[in-house]
Structures are given as structure tokens and as C-alpha cells.
Amino acid sequence: MILRKMVINRRSIVLTWLFSYMAILLLPVCISIIVYMVSSKTLESEIHQANNSLLKQVREIMDNYFQSMERLNIEMTWNVRMQELLTSNKYVSFPNDYKYDLYRVTQDMKLYKSAYSMVDLFYTYKADSDIVILPGTTRDAKFAYDTLHASPAFSYATWSEILNRKRFRGFLPMVRIDETGALVKTAAYISTFETDKETPMATNVIMIDQARILGAIQNVELFNQGHVMILNRDNQVLISNSNDPFPSDIPYDQIGSGSNSFYYTKDGEKYEVQLIRSERSEFKYVSIIPSSLYWQKAEHVRNLTFLSILTSLLGGSLLTYFFLRKNYNPVRRLVEAFASKANMSYGEGHNEFSFIEQAIGSTLNEMDKMMGQMKSQQHVLRSNFIARLMKGRIDTKIPIDESLAAFNMKLASDAFAVILLHVENSAPFYERLGDMETDDKLKLLQFIVSNVAEELAAQLHRGYVTEVDQSLACLINFSPTDDSEAHMQDLLRIAKEAQMFLNTHYHIHLTVSISSIQTGIHGISKAYAEAVDAMEYKLVMGTKEILAYEELYQAGTDETETAYYYPLQVEQQLINYVKVGDFERSKETLDDIIQRNLNRPAVSVAIARCLMLDLVSTMMKTVSEIGDGQDSFLFQNPKRIERLTSCETIQDMQAQMTDLLQKVCEYTTTKRQQSMQQSRMTALSDLAERVTGFIHEQYNDPNLNISMIGNYFDMKPTYLSKLFKDQTGEGLLDSINKIRIERAKHLIADSKKNITDVAGCVGFNDVNAFIRTFKKYEGITPGKFKELKDAMVQV
């Protein structure tokens, strides 16, 4: 029957199974041949795998030890007190602080000693002081060497050379003296502090004894009978479980990256050599184990192999026919079932399994498409359904219970509330997302806020978040209890935890409003309206707040005043302070106005908006009166009034107005000073012109001097002289003499008067004084000047 069906379709699975079972029958024979041909290679592979597995276990244990040493080194290096001790310049000014800071470093190292119990010894060598800093104490370098490392095989010079290497970080073999005074081998991690100098500032030394490390592999039987070593990057032996020296004839050229296995013969004994490198550090782990250990254990496995071959030959023939018939019957029934219902036909081009696979794949793809479409549509539909519930637009054609069931929403009770979540500033969150599209950033933000709100609500109740009017609203369905006060406390808890979590982890700042607790499906729309009304109080209370409807509107019902405090005289006073540039008083007045209005309980939003508009109007009237045309303060600062009018809270407006007040006051103060300076310069210029005119009128008066001019202008002579010199650049007496000499030159040149007469005409009683003054300003005597003029006339 089976073979006849196989003839109908040459690609039937029956043919494939028949060949498979025939291969199974022939497999023991092939295995027997292969086992004898490649048994040595198989055993060799087993040796490598076993050795490699054990060595990897050792590597994991050892790497943990060494990583602990590296972590301790990081803590010692970046200890704040250690960094201050090494790099701070304060000890030049405060030398007495050095010993105290050194003591604090030793105390910190005592804490490290408790935290890293697996580390046997660690210290820091400070090069400039030549001291060793230990947990709880300090020692000079020589004394530290004598008490910690003194050994003929490890001299002080060697120890000092290791500590003074520049920019060295790595593991080296060392010895130390333990608590009993015995000399023990140890693996030391050496790390110098970075510096630009020729010698390091300091060097950390962290040691774990070889006995502690070898204790981790004492239970591995194979390694106890072999030789296990840990090498550093320079192939120096850090740890070894044998006192024999490291074989010098190990073929290093066979050691590459990763792990290596090869055989090594020594004294007629064949050893399995396995080397692996640490994935987290610079170490190489080497094991040298006698191969005879593995061959003894492999003999039993070889005997079992022969037995399995015989069993396969005997039972294979009987099982082939039985399973061939048993397995094909259900496959045949599946093919017939799919062929009758799927849009596919079974023919020559398919075997049974290929046909079933294609039929199932086609069906599953269709189901996935349908489920994907339903899931995406359900999310949108559920969000739309919740939004309609909040706005009171319930579809009466479909029962609420059916809609809730369709959207997988199970109500725990008939008590509801709405939490409105408004994102204040999404820029810090968007900056962390890099080059992601803006729409994708917004979707991610809404996804995060929605998940956080729903998870917090689900701790005790049920929460459903949807987007309504560019804000996220969370519908809370309370657990079945009548404790309204506890429900309100839960709402506040959800709001506070959502604010804190989103701010801390994602830099998303929220303002949250909470409705009162409403009953029934129709109460959801009322709860949403209350949450929206409470959110409007952000104008008064500020952003990043939690605004509870009951608290705000309960306080609002107790308020008797319906107006706000801002009388005309206070407004005029504020304008005057700004116009004269008195920033302190104008700021004090503005703060007083806002505080006197906001200190009242639950100021209504309408009154707060009127107050904001009135204050903005005052600032616009004030700044528009300062300057004119191109010099107008508004013309120079066109964006300031725009920022004022766009403020969302009174606190924001207060900050904007305070900044504007300061700028306006600075501007008016500068203008007033410029005006005063200009007026003073004009007055001085006018005074200098009048004084010069008076001198021209009275130059021939012998009594003309600084005192006479001061009395005429009703000013102190010295002060008048100073003002005149500041304005003209020359002294008042020099100006008098220059005017007289200029007039004298005209008289000498244009008249027949002698020098004495000319001196009297220009206000000199003494002709000698006239001559001296003339020579001072002209360089020649009046007589010489007259001769020159006469000579020029004759020519």
C-alpha cells in the first residue's frame, strides 16, 4: 500500500524516509569503520575539549580575581583625597594640611581593605616623598621594602625600579612577607599615575598571594596531576602550581590569538599543552597535563561504541518498516485535509511535508495580517472611544458594555476620575533622541508618558490614557471601595510619582491636573471638564504643579473679592519709577502688586488673566514714552513685548517683566546721564564765549584780571578759571594776554604810536611788563616787531 502510493508521486516523503532508514541501517557499519580510522583524532579532540573546558573554568575564576585588583586600582587612583594629595597646590600655602590629608588617605585605604578581602596586600608609593601609603599607616620606602618584600631574589633596587616606571600598567610576579614572617609568592598589579614628568607621581601596588589563587583549582583532579601556569603579556610566570621552572622549549610560535592545543614531549612523556587567552585581560592560561590520563578514561567509551553498533544492526531492520508505516498515515490524512480546504492542489511538484508547510504558512500569514490590522485599529478605536467618553459623546446605538468588552476594558467599579498630563518643555527630551524625525519623537514621548501613567494607575486601580486636544488624559477607574479620601490620595500619588519618574529618567516636565471623583459612565465627561478647568489654574499656580480641582474650586468658593488690586496711583507710581530708571523701586512695586493678588486663596483664572493684561498694558505705555523714532526702546527691542504677551503663567510674566524693567531702567538712566552731560557742555561753551567776549570788551582796562572777571560773572575766580580751561584748553590769564598782544600788534603796525602808548592802549601800566609779555608770546620785542613791519612796508 505504502509503496504503491510512493510510485504515484516519486517526490513523496515515503521515498525520503525509506532512504533515511536505510542510511540508519548502514550507519553502524560506517561508524565501525570510521571509529577505527579516526579514533585517535577523536580522542585527541576530546582531550583538547576537556582540557580547554577546565582551563576556561580556571580562567573565569582567575579573571574575577584580577578584575577585582583592577577595580581596586581604579578606586585608589581616582580617590578624591588621593588626587588632592598628589596634584593640589594648597600645601604651598597650607603645609600643615599635608599630614592630615595623608592620614585621611590611609583611612580610606582601610575601608578598601575591608571591601576587597580577597586582596592580600596593597599600597601606594608616593614618589616625591619616597613614602609608601598603606591602609591605616605610612612608611618610608626603605622601611616598607624591609617589612614587606625583603628577599635576596627580589632586591630593593628591583622593587624601586618597578615602582618608578613611567606610564606602566600591568601584572608582574613578586614576593612579599606575610603576617607570619614567611616569604610567599604573589601576583602584583602595578599601575602608575599619569604625568608628563620623567618619573610618575605615584604607583599603586595590589597583590594576591599565589596560594590563595591556587586554592581555586585544588579540586580539579586533572590539574593537580599536571602543571598549570598563568603568564602575563611578557610571558612571565605569575602563578604556577608547580615549583618546576617554566619549560623554556615551549614552542611560542604555535601560540596565537584565542586558544591553542598541541602536544609537548618531555623526558619521554607526552603532554597535552593547552593555552587560552583571557577575554578581559592580558593573561595567558597554560596547562600541561599527561595524555595518559585521558586515554584511560576513553577506553570505556570505546567499548560502549561497539555495543551501540551491534544494537543498531539488529533492531534497525525491524523498526524501519514499523515506523515507516506508522508515521506516514497521519501525514497522509493531513495532506487530504489541507487539499480539500486550502486553495492549493497536491501534485507532482510537492512532497507531503512541503505541501503542508506551504498550506500552513499561507494560512498563518493571512491570520497575522488580520490580527495586525485588528490590533492597530483597536488601539486607535479604543483611544477614540475613551476620548468620546471624556467629552460626553457616547454612541447610544451600541451598548457601553459591548464597547468596553470589544476594547478589552474591564471596569472595577462605577467611580471615575481624570488626570490631565500636560508636557511643559519637551526640548531636553528631544535633544537626547538625536536626528529622529519630529513626529517620531512626539510619538515616543506620548508612548512613554502613557505607559508610565497607566502602570502607576494599575498598581491599585485601572488606568487608560488617550490623547485629547493635544494633551494626554488618563481615565482612572477605581477599585471597588467607598473610601473617597483614599481615592483622592491615590490620584495625588499617581501624579507625583509620574512627575518625579519622568523628570528623573527622561527630563520630561509635566503639569498635572486632577478632577474630583465622579460616579457612573456619564460622570466621566464631568471629571474631564473639571480636569481641564483645574489645568487653567496653571496660569496662577505656575508650571510643573499638581492642580487638584477640589482644592482649587473649594478655595475659590470662599473668596469674597471679585476684583484685583491694581489702583491707578500704583500704576502711575510704577510708570514714574521706570521712567526715572529706579529699578529697585519699580521691581519692588511690581512684586508687591503680584504678591498682593496671588496671596489671596484660589485667585480665579479670569481675574489672573485681567491682571496679566493690565500689567502688560502698563509696560507697553511706559516703554512707548521712552525715546522717540529710531531711538525708541520698543524699536530697539521689538521681541520683548511679544514675549510678555505670550506668557503662560503670572510667574513667567513676572520674570519677563522684571528683566524688561531692568533693561528699561538701564536705558533711561543712560539717556538721562547723556542729557545732563550734553546740557553741561552747552552751558560751559556758552560761559566760555561770554568770558571771551567780556575780555575783548575790557582788554584795555589795566584792572582786567581773573578776579575782576570772577566778580563780573558772580563766580569764584579759581573755579571760573578751571571751567574756562576745561572748555577752551588754555588758562584765563593766558587768554587775556593773548588778546592784548594781538591788539597791540595791530596798533604797532597800523599807527604812529610808540611802544609806551601802545602798552597803555592795551591795558599795560608798565611798559617793561608789556615788553616781557610780548616777547613771551611772539618771541621778539615790540621794537623789533615794529622794525620788521616798517621794513616790509618799505619793500
Side-chain angles (χ1 to χ4, degrees), residues 350-363:
H350 302 86
N351 65 24
E352 290 83 353
F353 281 165
S354 297
F355 174 77
I356 294 173
E357 181 181 5
Q358 293 182 14
I360 293 176
S362 176
T363 303

Side-chain angles (χ1 to χ4, degrees), residues 632-641 660 663:
S632 171
F633 187 84
L634 280 174
F635 185 85
Q636 297 178 5
N637 304 272
K639 295 292 184 181
R640 291 196 174 271
I641 298 299
L660 180 59
K663 299 299 182 182

Side-chain angles (χ1 to χ4, degrees), residues 102-119:
L102 188 61
Y103 168 76
R104 291 200 301 170
V105 171
T106 62
Q107 297 306 305
D108 287 346
M109 295 180 74
K110 288 178 68 178
L111 297 177
Y112 296 153
K113 185 176 182 181
S114 299
Y116 293 88
S117 58
M118 65 179 62
V119 175

Side-chain angles (χ1 to χ4, degrees), residues 17-27 320:
W17 284 347
L18 181 60
F19 288 149
S20 299
Y21 293 145
M22 290 175 64
I24 293 174
L25 289 174
L26 295 176
L27 183 61
T320 297

Side-chain angles (χ1 to χ4, degrees), residues 489-504:
Q489 293 300 323
D490 286 340
L491 291 176
L492 293 173
R493 174 189 62 81
I494 293 170
K496 291 178 182 179
E497 291 183 5
Q499 274 189 334
M500 183 180 300
F501 182 84
L502 291 170
N503 182 30
T504 302

Side-chain angles (χ1 to χ4, degrees), residues 565-615:
Y565 170 79
Y566 192 35
L568 292 175
Q569 60 270 25
V570 175
E571 180 184 22
Q572 188 59 48
Q573 188 180 38
L574 176 61
I575 292 174
N576 292 337
Y577 286 152
V578 176
K579 290 173 66 175
V580 300
D582 192 342
F583 171 68
E584 296 298 329
R585 291 190 177 181
S586 59
K587 181 179 182 298
E588 182 180 348
T589 302
L590 175 64
D591 294 342
D592 180 64
I593 293 169
I594 295 177
Q595 291 303 319
R596 290 188 64 169
N597 283 281
L598 295 187
N599 283 340
R600 300 184 301 167
V603 177
S604 67
V605 176
I607 290 178
R609 292 188 188 279
C610 291
L611 176 61
M612 286 182 64
L613 293 174
D614 214 349
L615 288 172

Side-chain angles (χ1 to χ4, degrees), residues 3 57 101 124 150 190 229 261 283 384 464 531 656 761 772:
L3 296 177
Q57 295 180 21
D101 291 347
T124 299
I190 313 296
M229 296 168 290
S261 300
F283 300 109
N384 183 60
Y464 306 98
Q656 292 284 347
C761 291
R772 286 196 303 275

Side-chain angles (χ1 to χ4, degrees), residues 62-72 171 280:
M62 298 301 102
D63 279 355
N64 289 334
Y65 277 109
F66 295 135
Q67 282 193 330
S68 296
M69 299 170 73
E70 292 176 346
R71 285 197 298 270
L72 175 57
F171 289 84
R280 295 177 284 182

